[in-house]
Amino acid sequence: MPSGPEIQFLSLSDFESRTHHAQIRILLDAAFEGDFSDADWQNSCGGWRILGFQGGRIVAHAALIGRSMLIDGQWAEVGYVEAIAVDPELQGRGIGLRIIAAVNQLATANFELSMLSTDEHEFYARTGWMRFTGQSFVAQDVFTWDSQRTADEDDSLMFLTRPGESTAGPLQVVCQPRAGDAW
């Protein structure tokens, strides 16, 4: 199967990528088969976007957002990965692995810990992501950080650390509430 023109990857701030937002949203709606909500879009905004261009068209996307969290009782700015997508016509050609490699590079350069939520554990494990085995919570009050257990989310979470850092992973993570899914 011919691969077509080479794909070029570019990391941009969300602000720098604003002229591409309409095209990104079309890609996300197609890749998520219409199951990409306005809340999902909102949660992908505000950090960096890694875009894969083929012949001037966006064919791959990932977002890396900084989220303040309590990690094992300590404040941390965590890189949170959102909205990973590849054009459905190009899936299965290694583009997803390439965009995750770009995400990993950006994440480890900017954050000690990064996280994501997925049901595709084997895919992400191939690129260095590890299964979270601790307990997750969502803050009910961002001033006191009183939190509610999100046990149903534990198994979907994965984490990435900088090379050479501990791979034991956090034991307890508390995220701030947000529109749509907390994780």
Side-chain angles (χ1 to χ4, degrees), residues 49-94:
R49 293 191 188 273
I50 299 90
L51 303 176
F53 290 90
Q54 184 180 52
R57 186 172 69 97
I58 297 173
V59 297
H61 172 273
L64 179 64
I65 310 301
R67 293 184 71 185
S68 294
M69 295 187 191
L70 282 176
I71 305 295
D72 295 332
Q74 301 292 315
W75 286 103
E77 187 74 6
V78 174
Y80 202 78
V81 179
E82 293 282 358
I84 306 284
V86 174
D87 183 314
E89 294 178 12
L90 299 175
Q91 291 176 2
R93 298 184 188 182

Coordinates of all heavy atoms in Angstrom, one line a residue, residues 49-94:
R49 N 0.2 21.3 21.1 CA -0.4 20.4 20.1 C 0.8 19.9 19.3 O 1.6 20.6 18.8 CB -1.4 21.1 19.3 CG -2.6 21.5 20.1 CD -3.8 21.9 19.2 NE -4.9 22.5 20.0 CZ -5.8 21.8 20.5 NH1 -5.9 20.5 20.4 NH2 -6.8 22.4 21.2
I50 N 0.8 18.6 19.1 CA 1.7 17.9 18.2 C 0.9 17.6 16.9 O -0.1 16.8 17.1 CB 2.4 16.7 18.8 CG1 3.2 17.1 20.0 CG2 3.3 16.1 17.7 CD1 2.5 17.0 21.3
L51 N 1.2 18.1 15.8 CA 0.4 17.9 14.6 C 1.3 17.2 13.6 O 2.4 17.5 13.4 CB 0.0 19.3 14.0 CG -0.8 20.2 15.0 CD1 -1.1 21.5 14.3 CD2 -2.1 19.5 15.4
G52 N 0.6 16.2 12.9 CA 1.2 15.5 11.8 C 0.6 16.0 10.5 O -0.6 15.9 10.3
F53 N 1.5 16.6 9.6 CA 1.0 17.1 8.3 C 1.4 16.2 7.2 O 2.6 15.8 7.2 CB 1.6 18.5 8.1 CG 1.1 19.6 9.0 CD1 1.7 19.9 10.2 CD2 0.0 20.3 8.6 CE1 1.2 20.9 11.0 CE2 -0.5 21.4 9.4 CZ 0.1 21.6 10.6
Q54 N 0.5 15.9 6.3 CA 0.8 15.2 5.1 C 0.3 16.0 3.9 O -1.0 16.2 3.8 CB 0.2 13.8 5.1 CG 0.6 13.0 3.9 CD 0.0 11.6 4.0 OE1 -1.2 11.4 4.1 NE2 0.9 10.6 3.8
G55 N 1.1 16.5 3.1 CA 0.7 17.3 2.0 C -0.2 18.5 2.4 O -1.1 18.8 1.7
G56 N 0.2 19.2 3.5 CA -0.6 20.4 3.9 C -1.8 20.0 4.7 O -2.5 21.0 5.2
R57 N -2.1 18.8 4.9 CA -3.3 18.4 5.6 C -3.0 17.7 6.9 O -2.0 17.0 7.0 CB -4.1 17.3 4.7 CG -5.4 16.9 5.3 CD -6.2 16.0 4.3 NE -5.5 14.8 4.1 CZ -5.9 13.6 4.7 NH1 -6.9 13.6 5.5 NH2 -5.3 12.5 4.4
I58 N -3.7 18.1 8.0 CA -3.4 17.5 9.3 C -4.0 16.1 9.3 O -5.2 15.9 9.1 CB -4.0 18.3 10.4 CG1 -3.4 19.7 10.5 CG2 -3.8 17.6 11.8 CD1 -4.0 20.7 11.4
V59 N -3.1 15.1 9.6 CA -3.5 13.7 9.6 C -3.2 13.0 10.9 O -3.6 11.9 11.1 CB -2.8 12.9 8.5 CG1 -3.2 13.4 7.1 CG2 -1.3 12.9 8.7
A60 N -2.6 13.7 11.9 CA -2.4 13.2 13.2 C -2.4 14.3 14.2 O -2.0 15.5 13.9 CB -1.1 12.4 13.2
H61 N -2.8 14.0 15.4 CA -2.9 15.1 16.5 C -2.7 14.4 17.8 O -3.1 13.3 18.1 CB -4.2 15.7 16.4 CG -4.5 16.6 17.6 ND1 -5.0 16.2 18.8 CD2 -4.3 18.0 17.7 CE1 -5.1 17.2 19.6 NE2 -4.7 18.3 19.0
A62 N -2.0 15.2 18.7 CA -1.9 14.9 20.1 C -1.8 16.2 20.9 O -1.3 17.2 20.4 CB -0.7 14.0 20.5
A63 N -2.4 16.2 22.1 CA -2.3 17.4 22.9 C -1.6 17.0 24.2 O -1.8 15.9 24.8 CB -3.6 18.0 23.2
L64 N -0.7 17.9 24.7 CA 0.0 17.8 26.0 C -0.4 19.0 26.8 O 0.0 20.1 26.5 CB 1.5 17.6 25.8 CG 2.3 17.5 27.1 CD1 2.0 16.2 27.8 CD2 3.8 17.5 26.7
I65 N -1.1 18.8 27.9 CA -1.6 19.8 28.8 C -0.9 19.7 30.1 O -0.8 18.7 30.7 CB -3.1 19.7 29.0 CG1 -3.8 19.5 27.6 CG2 -3.7 20.9 29.8 CD1 -3.7 20.6 26.6
G66 N -0.5 20.9 30.7 CA 0.0 20.9 32.1 C -1.2 20.9 33.0 O -2.1 21.7 32.9
R67 N -1.3 19.9 34.0 CA -2.4 19.9 35.0 C -1.7 19.8 36.3 O -0.9 19.0 36.6 CB -3.2 18.6 34.8 CG -4.0 18.6 33.5 CD -4.9 17.4 33.4 NE -6.0 17.5 34.3 CZ -6.9 16.6 34.5 NH1 -6.9 15.4 33.9 NH2 -7.9 16.7 35.4
S68 N -2.2 20.7 37.2 CA -1.8 20.7 38.6 C -2.4 19.5 39.3 O -3.7 19.4 39.2 CB -2.1 22.0 39.3 OG -1.4 23.1 38.8
M69 N -1.6 18.7 40.0 CA -2.2 17.5 40.7 C -1.4 17.3 42.0 O -0.3 17.8 42.1 CB -2.0 16.3 39.8 CG -2.8 16.2 38.6 SD -2.6 14.6 37.8 CE -3.3 14.9 36.2
L70 N -2.1 16.6 42.9 CA -1.4 16.1 44.1 C -0.9 14.7 43.8 O -1.7 13.8 43.5 CB -2.4 16.1 45.3 CG -2.6 17.4 46.0 CD1 -3.7 17.3 47.1 CD2 -1.4 18.1 46.5
I71 N 0.4 14.6 43.8 CA 1.0 13.3 43.5 C 1.7 12.8 44.8 O 2.6 13.5 45.3 CB 2.1 13.4 42.4 CG1 1.5 14.0 41.1 CG2 2.7 12.0 42.1 CD1 0.4 13.2 40.5
D72 N 1.1 11.8 45.4 CA 1.6 11.3 46.7 C 1.7 12.4 47.7 O 2.7 12.5 48.4 CB 2.9 10.5 46.5 CG 2.8 9.3 45.6 OD1 1.7 8.7 45.6 OD2 3.8 8.9 45.0
G73 N 0.7 13.3 47.7 CA 0.7 14.3 48.7 C 1.5 15.6 48.4 O 1.5 16.5 49.2
Q74 N 2.1 15.6 47.3 CA 2.9 16.8 46.9 C 2.4 17.4 45.6 O 2.0 16.7 44.7 CB 4.4 16.3 46.6 CG 5.1 15.7 47.8 CD 5.3 16.7 48.9 OE1 5.8 17.8 48.7 NE2 5.0 16.3 50.1
W75 N 2.4 18.7 45.5 CA 1.9 19.4 44.3 C 2.9 19.1 43.2 O 4.1 19.1 43.4 CB 1.9 20.9 44.5 CG 0.8 21.4 45.4 CD1 0.9 21.8 46.7 CD2 -0.5 21.6 45.0 NE1 -0.3 22.2 47.1 CE2 -1.2 22.1 46.1 CE3 -1.2 21.4 43.8 CZ2 -2.6 22.4 46.0 CZ3 -2.6 21.7 43.7 CH2 -3.2 22.2 44.8
A76 N 2.3 18.9 42.0 CA 3.2 18.7 40.8 C 2.4 19.2 39.6 O 1.2 19.1 39.6 CB 3.5 17.2 40.7
E77 N 3.2 19.7 38.7 CA 2.6 20.0 37.4 C 2.9 18.8 36.5 O 4.0 18.4 36.2 CB 3.3 21.3 36.8 CG 2.6 21.8 35.5 CD 1.3 22.4 35.7 OE1 0.9 22.7 36.9 OE2 0.6 22.8 34.7
V78 N 1.8 18.1 36.1 CA 1.9 16.9 35.4 C 1.5 17.1 33.9 O 0.6 17.8 33.6 CB 0.9 15.8 36.0 CG1 0.9 14.6 35.2 CG2 1.3 15.6 37.5
G79 N 2.3 16.5 33.0 CA 1.9 16.6 31.6 C 0.8 15.6 31.4 O 1.0 14.4 31.6
Y80 N -0.3 16.0 30.9 CA -1.4 15.1 30.6 C -1.7 15.1 29.1 O -1.9 16.1 28.5 CB -2.7 15.6 31.4 CG -3.7 14.5 31.6 CD1 -3.4 13.5 32.6 CD2 -4.8 14.4 30.8 CE1 -4.3 12.5 32.8 CE2 -5.6 13.3 31.0 CZ -5.4 12.4 32.0 OH -6.3 11.3 32.1
V81 N -1.7 13.9 28.6 CA -1.9 13.7 27.2 C -3.4 13.5 26.8 O -4.1 12.8 27.5 CB -1.1 12.5 26.7 CG1 -1.3 12.2 25.2 CG2 0.4 12.6 27.0
E82 N -3.8 14.2 25.8 CA -5.2 14.2 25.4 C -5.3 14.1 23.9 O -4.4 14.5 23.2 CB -5.9 15.6 25.8 CG -6.0 15.8 27.2 CD -7.2 15.1 27.9 OE1 -7.9 14.4 27.1 OE2 -7.4 15.2 29.1
A83 N -6.4 13.6 23.4 CA -6.9 13.7 22.0 C -5.8 13.2 21.0 O -5.5 13.8 20.1 CB -7.3 15.1 21.7
I84 N -5.3 12.0 21.3 CA -4.4 11.3 20.3 C -5.3 10.8 19.2 O -6.3 10.1 19.4 CB -3.7 10.1 21.0 CG1 -3.0 10.5 22.2 CG2 -2.8 9.4 20.0 CD1 -1.8 11.2 22.1
A85 N -4.9 11.2 18.0 CA -5.8 10.8 16.8 C -4.9 10.7 15.6 O -4.0 11.5 15.4 CB -6.9 11.8 16.6
V86 N -5.3 9.7 14.7 CA -4.7 9.6 13.4 C -5.9 9.5 12.4 O -6.9 8.8 12.7 CB -3.8 8.3 13.3 CG1 -3.3 8.1 11.9 CG2 -2.6 8.5 14.3
D87 N -5.8 10.1 11.3 CA -6.8 10.0 10.2 C -7.2 8.5 10.1 O -6.3 7.7 9.8 CB -6.2 10.6 8.9 CG -7.2 10.6 7.8 OD1 -7.9 9.6 7.6 OD2 -7.3 11.7 7.1
P88 N -8.4 8.2 10.1 CA -8.8 6.8 10.0 C -8.3 6.1 8.7 O -8.0 4.9 8.8 CB -10.4 6.9 10.0 CG -10.7 8.1 10.7 CD -9.6 9.1 10.4
E89 N -8.2 6.8 7.6 CA -7.7 6.2 6.4 C -6.2 5.9 6.5 O -5.7 5.1 5.7 CB -7.9 7.2 5.2 CG -9.4 7.4 4.9 CD -9.6 8.4 3.8 OE1 -8.6 8.8 3.1 OE2 -10.7 8.8 3.6
L90 N -5.5 6.4 7.5 CA -4.0 6.2 7.6 C -3.7 5.4 8.8 O -2.5 5.2 9.1 CB -3.3 7.5 7.6 CG -3.5 8.4 6.4 CD1 -2.8 9.8 6.6 CD2 -2.9 7.8 5.2
Q91 N -4.6 4.9 9.6 CA -4.3 4.1 10.8 C -3.7 2.8 10.4 O -3.9 2.3 9.3 CB -5.6 3.9 11.6 CG -6.1 5.2 12.2 CD -7.4 5.1 12.9 OE1 -8.0 4.0 13.0 NE2 -7.9 6.2 13.5
G92 N -2.9 2.3 11.3 CA -2.2 1.0 11.1 C -0.9 1.1 10.3 O -0.3 0.1 9.9
R93 N -0.4 2.4 10.1 CA 0.8 2.6 9.3 C 2.0 3.1 10.2 O 2.9 3.6 9.7 CB 0.6 3.6 8.2 CG -0.5 3.0 7.2 CD -0.6 4.0 6.0 NE -1.7 3.6 5.2 CZ -2.1 4.2 4.1 NH1 -1.4 5.3 3.7 NH2 -3.1 3.8 3.4
G94 N 1.8 3.0 11.5 CA 2.9 3.5 12.4 C 2.9 5.0 12.7 O 3.7 5.4 13.4

